Amino acid sequence: METIKAYGATAADADLKPLDIKRRSLQEADVKIDILYCGVCHSDIHTVRNDWGGSSYPVVPGHEIIGRVVAIGDGVKNFKEGDLVGVGCMVDSCHDCTPCHNDLEQFCEKGATFTYNSKDAHIDNQRTYGGYSTTVTVDQQFVLRVPDNIDAAAAAPLLCAGITTYSPLSHWKVKEGDKVGVIGLGGLGHMGIKFAAAMGAKTYMITTSPDKAEDAKRLGADAVIISKNEDEMQQHKGTFDFLLNTVPVKHDINPYLELLKIDATMVMVGAIEPLEPMNGGNLIMGRKRVAGSLIGGIKETQEMLDFCGEHNIVSDIEMIDMQDINTAYERLTSNDVKYRFVIDMESLKK
Ligand code: NAP
Ligand code: ZN
Ligand code: ZN
């Protein structure tokens, strides 16, 4: 075991502070990574605050990790020292169930090992700690290659915000000319707009914030709908082929369902909690669907990163020092970030 520096929370109502944590020693299939950058996802806050229950303290968040390989186990063939790599929301799974065999490790029947707040299957009584730390040691099958033509810091959010939005757009086969709406312009939403535009869709940003309209267009939206404006929503009733809903809290999905065409789908990725009651008529009248999606498998995450390399897609980021994390959480909670905070991990090494 090795003791390293990290930042984490020791209780749901505590600020994040410097902590020492233990990482397992390098095992045969492991890649040890020196962390350069780590994105700040809204899920980090949900876990620190125990919004979903099940948080085990200390929580060291961070699942949008970019770093350099500094050591490899004897069994590692696909990575070498110096490689630029990424780690997303998962660091392990059983490798042996039907979802794992189908490249859907996020749905592993034994439970995927998430990058933080999971049980580490390699060591007794050890929890996983995320990327708000100096190094991480990960099974080679959960390490991703980062294309060398994209900015490394701005690539960090691809590991969660990127795959979470790419996967549903790809799975529901969004194609050229489809009318696609992305609901909520935050970390996930801004990636959703970029991907939908790159896939050739006619993209609409559906936002509660009129002041984000110009940005939405710069990010690739063809048009913007202010969801609080009922007249504007009515003009688009029954016209959307696909909606991607990234709203992070309990809300009323009925106004959005009305936007869908016959047979069209809205995919929920944000609110992992009970929603306001849904009117069945909004599904029945039009054979509409509501679905959900959880990040994406490792193979698809690599496909997404390669797509970003080809299309020059990265996140719009605001770089912060590790020491600024509590202010960043306040700002993210009050909808004040364009559009992802990324921690420069050099600040933790000082
Ligand atoms: P974020 O940066 O805070 O963005 C969320 C956006 O939703 C906000 O910028 C805001 O956009 C809109 N919004 C906020 N409150 C709203 C409300 N009450 N009603 C309507 N719109 C509202 O969060 P994020 O990092 O993108 O994460 C979004 C959610 O996805 C979080 O809950 C996170 O835990 C979850 N998540 C899920 C997965 C998955 O695999 N399914 C993966 C990662 C994250 P406007 O100002 O444009 O309205
Ligand atoms: Zn995330
Ligand atoms: Zn499995």
Side-chain angles (χ1 to χ4, degrees):
M1 299 279 267
E2 186 190 358
T3 302
I4 62 153
K5 284 189 191 179
Y7 247 71
T10 51
D13 57 359
D15 276 352
L16 277 72
K17 62 175 188 189
L19 296 172
D20 285 337
I21 56 165
K22 289 200 174 8
R23 294 284 191 206
R24 68 173 185 252
S25 311
L26 198 69
Q27 299 187 359
E28 200 183 344
D30 277 346
V31 175
K32 181 177 173 185
I33 300 160
D34 182 29
I35 301 176
L36 300 172
Y37 306 106
C38 185
V40 178
C41 177
H42 210 122
S43 302
D44 299 352
I45 302 182
H46 286 310
T47 309
V48 164
R49 302 287 169 241
N50 201 19
D51 291 341
W52 300 326
S55 294
S56 167
Y57 296 90
V59 169
V60 174
H63 57 204
E64 295 183 336
I65 300 168
I66 296 282
R68 292 242 174 240
V69 176
V70 286
I72 54 169
D74 291 341
V76 174
K77 296 283 174 279
N78 296 329
F79 296 97
K80 59 176 190 319
E81 268 180 54
D83 285 352
L84 186 68
V85 294
V87 176
C89 302
M90 297 179 284
V91 288
D92 212 346
S93 70
C94 85
H95 304 279
D96 204 27
C97 67
T98 305
C100 283
H101 286 308
N102 290 330
D103 298 309
L104 294 168
E105 299 87 353
Q106 73 272 36
F107 303 126
C108 173
E109 286 170 3
K110 305 236 168 69
T113 304
F114 291 99
T115 305
Y116 55 80
N117 199 46
S118 269
K119 194 180 159 305
D120 185 340
H122 292 256
I123 293 197
D124 287 344
N125 303 321
Q126 169 86 4
R127 309 282 304 173
T128 57
Y129 297 118
Y132 297 6
S133 56
T134 51
T135 66
V136 65
T137 300
V138 179
D139 184 292
Q140 59 178 340
Q141 293 192 46
F142 288 78
V143 179
L144 297 138
R145 297 192 166 281
V146 178
D148 53 17
N149 62 315
I150 56 176
D151 181 74
L158 300 176
L159 277 309
C160 174
I163 184 60
T164 302
T165 49
Y166 176 90
S167 178
L169 291 165
S170 166
H171 181 80
W172 272 270
K173 299 188 170 46
V174 162
K175 58 182 187 313
E176 188 139 14
D178 281 355
K179 182 169 173 177
V180 169
V182 176
I183 304 167
L185 177 43
L188 267 55
H190 94 291
M191 293 311 307
I193 279 290
K194 290 185 186 206
F195 285 129
M199 291 170 185
K202 193 161 169 43
T203 52
Y204 286 73
M205 188 73 236
I206 304 173
T207 174
T208 60
S209 309
D211 57 323
K212 291 183 185 171
E214 281 315 305
D215 267 353
K217 289 183 185 159
R218 181 180 53 77
L219 294 165
D222 292 298
V224 176
I225 300 172
I226 308 302
S227 53
K228 289 174 177 163
N229 183 336
E230 274 181 39
D231 288 346
E232 230 176 292
M233 293 286 275
Q234 277 297 314
Q235 282 166 31
H236 294 274
K237 198 173 167 183
T239 63
F240 276 89
D241 294 289
F242 185 79
L243 290 172
L244 181 61
N245 183 330
T246 77
V247 177
V249 289
K250 176 178 186 169
H251 64 287
D252 181 9
I253 63 172
N254 292 293
Y256 302 118
L257 291 175
E258 289 190 18
L259 298 177
L260 292 171
K261 272 183 185 168
I262 293 169
D263 282 335
T265 301
M266 173 162 77
V267 173
M268 309 293 300
V269 292
I272 310 177
E273 60 204 78
L275 300 167
E276 301 283 358
M278 183 184 69
N279 182 343
N282 279 332
L283 294 183
I284 293 167
M285 307 304 285
R287 204 162 55 185
K288 298 172 185 178
R289 304 179 181 111
V290 181
S293 187
L294 177 68
I295 45 176
I298 293 299
K299 187 174 169 214
E300 192 177 39
T301 305
Q302 188 62 61
E303 178 189 306
M304 176 276 308
L305 286 168
D306 296 342
F307 183 91
C308 289
E310 272 166 46
H311 295 263
N312 253 307
I313 294 176
V314 284
S315 179
D316 285 33
I317 64 166
E318 180 178 335
M319 194 92 92
I320 58 167
D321 284 347
M322 189 70 259
Q323 294 75 8
D324 300 330
I325 191 67
N326 293 304
T327 314
Y329 274 23
E330 279 167 30
R331 285 184 51 200
L332 182 54
T333 310
S334 57
N335 203 353
D336 173 27
V337 54
K338 291 184 170 177
Y339 280 93
R340 201 58 141 184
F341 290 116
V342 170
I343 305 158
D344 181 352
M345 216 47 76
E346 201 56 44
S347 59
L348 180 58
K349 293 170 194 164
K350 276 180 207 151

